Amino acid sequence: MGHFDRTLAYISDLQQADTPGAICEKLLDVTSAFGLTALMAGTVPQPGTPKGKQKDHVLLCDWPIEWLERYVARNYVDHDPIVSRMKQLQAPFQWRDAANEVKADRDGEVVMGDAGQFKLKDGLAFPLVTLDGQIVMVSLGGEQIEMSGLEFGMISLVSGYAIGRAMQLHAGTERTIDHVELTPRELECLKWASAGKSEWEISQILGISEHTSEKHLLNAKTKLGAVNRVQAVAEAIRRGYI
């Protein structure tokens, strides 16, 4: 199968994805071969957006949970050189290009340095500008990335389709499902999962069996449209449950 046929296959897979978690999984299946193992996508909030509202801008997330929490808690979006360059350039670029431009910006250096602690040392960023002028960004990161110019273009193309599909699902969700009902136990299990606890550790903390804790996490994952516990926790954070 040639490059063109593979690209069409990737796009077809993304169009068939019916949850944000499935979109993350399919896009990362494509990009992980090039060292891009983590994903964040969403609309770019305006400067000064309250921390409690920043998660509302997230459409796709397969980011280390600890990094997501730190990013929001420290209001990094207002100092992130990748976000700043995206607003100015509105074209695909590599993270290192943004980092090189802000070496004199102490706050920007802190953001990039902290990202590196979570094995997000370099990456790619792709914009999508909507008809009303809103910037939607796909940001893919990893420890070390390697790709040709042709592969860069392919990833840019499929990333555009991924965020487009995510926007379609988000619009449909807003119209039909405003709230996901999680049971108290499901919420408890998700909160402990967000703290890095295993299913066995959660069972010991809550005084339930390991099988029961696994079942609660599986139910929560299904309700939130996630394909793994990391995405389930990220979606719960985005919705304000955690």
Side-chain angles (χ1 to χ4, degrees):
M1 184 183 291
H3 289 299
F4 183 72
D5 290 335
R6 284 201 299 271
T7 302
L8 289 179
Y10 293 150
I11 291 171
S12 177
D13 286 345
L14 286 167
Q15 287 296 336
Q16 294 176 38
D18 56 3
T19 66
I23 297 172
C24 288
E25 184 178 43
K26 291 180 184 299
L27 183 55
L28 291 174
D29 279 347
V30 176
T31 64
S32 59
F34 309 103
L36 298 165
T37 56
L39 163 67
M40 172 66 76
T43 55
V44 178
Q46 295 297 317
T49 298
K51 296 175 185 177
K53 296 291 185 181
Q54 289 180 16
K55 294 171 185 174
D56 295 341
H57 290 262
V58 177
L59 294 172
L60 299 173
C61 181
D62 199 324
W63 227 233
I65 295 302
E66 295 86 353
W67 170 235
L68 176 63
E69 288 290 272
R70 181 182 297 189
Y71 193 95
V72 173
R74 299 184 182 181
N75 200 37
Y76 277 169
V77 68
D78 286 346
H79 309 287
D80 190 340
I82 297 168
V83 174
S84 298
R85 184 177 173 87
M86 178 63 68
K87 290 179 179 179
Q88 297 169 5
L89 188 63
Q90 296 185 16
F93 63 90
Q94 197 162 341
W95 287 8
R96 69 180 65 166
D97 297 332
N100 290 336
E101 290 182 357
V102 294
K103 287 186 175 178
D105 182 343
R106 175 58 183 162
D107 290 333
E109 285 187 333
V110 169
V111 175
M112 298 303 290
D114 275 8
Q117 294 180 28
F118 294 91
K119 299 182 179 180
L120 300 173
K121 297 180 179 179
D122 199 6
L124 303 178
F126 306 100
L128 177 67
V129 183
T130 65
L131 292 175
D132 60 0
Q134 186 175 40
I135 301 174
V136 185
M137 181 173 75
V138 180
S139 190
L140 291 153
E143 283 195 275
Q144 184 176 356
I145 63 175
E146 295 182 11
M147 71 193 67
S148 66
L150 183 65
E151 290 163 341
F152 183 99
M154 180 273 291
I155 293 174
S156 177
L157 179 63
V158 296
S159 294
Y161 272 91
I163 193 62
R165 180 60 178 153
M167 291 171 68
Q168 287 178 331
L169 292 179
H170 183 69
T173 298
E174 286 190 331
R175 287 194 296 267
T176 59
I177 304 175
D178 294 323
H179 184 69
V180 173
E181 290 290 344
L182 296 173
T183 68
R185 274 297 196 212
E186 289 165 358
L187 280 171
E188 284 183 307
C189 289
L190 277 174
K191 288 176 181 177
W192 285 114
S194 72
K197 302 299 183 182
S198 68
E199 283 82 350
W200 181 84
E201 290 172 321
I202 293 171
S203 72
Q204 298 302 298
I205 293 169
L206 299 180
I208 57 179
S209 70
E210 184 175 0
H211 174 73
T212 301
S213 69
E214 289 175 351
K215 183 178 178 181
H216 287 316
L217 285 172
L218 177 61
N219 289 341
K221 181 185 73 173
T222 301
K223 290 179 180 180
L224 293 167
V227 299
N228 56 42
R229 60 182 278 165
V230 172
Q231 290 170 4
V233 170
E235 181 63 14
I237 291 171
R238 188 187 75 79
R239 288 175 174 267
Y241 297 143
I242 298 177

